[in-house]
Structures are given as structure tokens and as C-alpha cells.
Amino acid sequence: MAVQNSVDNTNVPLILSGDSLIRYENIEQLIGRTTPILYGTVMAKKAAGNWTPFNNVAGVDGSAIPRGIYLGNDITAAAIAADNKDGCAILVGGCCTVNESLVVFDDGTLNADSIIGVGTIHAATARDVIAEVSGIFFEGTVNISEHEN
């Protein structure tokens, strides 16, 4: 009698492997925001100390440097427009790999290959910067339950 095994990998986690460092930090109020902050959003830390979604490759206040990934429940647009959110779980480092397909870039125009520091001798992709600054490496995944043919 033959036995067939199957694996359900439809619930792949964001953090795939390695050591991860998660800190509980503050996300700054974003007055006028019309979209939520989603689980897996790439974050930047401003010079003032609060975190904000990474959505600007030319910011001079720290917002142009992706440094972490938001791991909490989705924050509605109304909630983040109303006030800072304190104690939010953010993956800030370690030496870990994350599932690139679950990583969210806030404004929809940036991605892991967006260039930061255009026109400077230190230009790099968002993927390279977050790996160098935080030790977070993006990794592509494949759904092994799909048939190959």
C-alpha cells in the first residue's frame, strides 16, 4: 500500500530563518494618511526617534533608510492619522531571512530594488541597505504544493 504525503505551505511565515531581533517601538502620527500600515511593511527610523513607513528614497531625516519591518496588526489609516502608535513590534535586525513575497512597500511605487541615494557615490538598493544596516535579508520562496509542468 502506497502512502502519499502532502505539505500545506500556504501559511509561510514572514521570518524564514536566522536570529531575529524584535523591538517595541513608536510609529509616528501620519496626519492625512489614507491607507493602513500593514503587517510586513518596511519601516524607516527618523532622526527624531519615531518610525515611519519607508516610502521616500530622498528623505534627509532618516526616512530614506529602510531599517526594519513592521510585525504588528494592521493599523488603520484613521488610527495612525489620529496619534502616534506606541509599543509596535518591529523587526529591527539580527541575521535573518524574510519572505520577500510578504514584505510590503508602503506607497506601491517602491520595491526591494528601488535605488536609495541616486546621484551619490553611495547609491544602493533598498534590499542592500536593509541587509547592511539591519541584517535582514530578503529571500524569494516557491510554493511547493503547485505542480510543475
Side-chain angles (χ1 to χ4, degrees):
M1 175 179 192
V3 177
Q4 182 176 1
N5 292 325
S6 66
V7 174
D8 177 11
N9 71 339
T10 56
N11 293 322
V12 178
L14 176 69
I15 302 171
L16 297 173
S17 65
D19 296 323
S20 56
L21 175 60
I22 298 169
R23 295 187 60 189
Y24 293 87
E25 300 279 341
N26 300 332
I27 297 176
E28 76 173 3
Q29 177 182 18
L30 301 168
I31 297 171
R33 186 166 175 97
T34 59
T35 58
I37 296 176
L38 304 174
Y39 174 85
T41 297
V42 176
M43 304 292 287
K45 188 169 187 177
K46 289 193 162 183
N50 286 333
W51 290 78
T52 188
F54 167 69
N55 58 19
N56 179 0
V57 296
V60 295
D61 58 357
S63 62
I65 302 171
R67 296 181 52 153
I69 298 176
Y70 175 64
L71 297 180
N73 293 328
D74 295 353
I75 302 173
T76 66
I80 198 64
D83 200 2
N84 288 351
K85 295 296 158 215
D86 299 335
C88 298
I90 298 178
L91 173 64
V92 296
C95 185
C96 61
T97 58
V98 295
N99 184 344
E100 187 170 354
S101 67
L102 297 178
V103 172
V104 176
F105 284 86
D106 188 56
D107 72 348
T109 62
L110 299 180
N111 60 46
D113 297 316
S114 294
I115 303 294
I116 300 167
V118 174
T120 70
I121 59 171
H122 300 292
T125 65
R127 171 193 324 275
D128 293 339
V129 171
I130 200 166
E132 183 177 327
V133 171
S134 302
I136 300 170
F137 300 89
F138 293 172
E139 182 176 309
T141 61
V142 176
N143 184 350
I144 62 171
S145 63
E146 293 180 4
H147 297 290
E148 182 180 334
N149 282 344

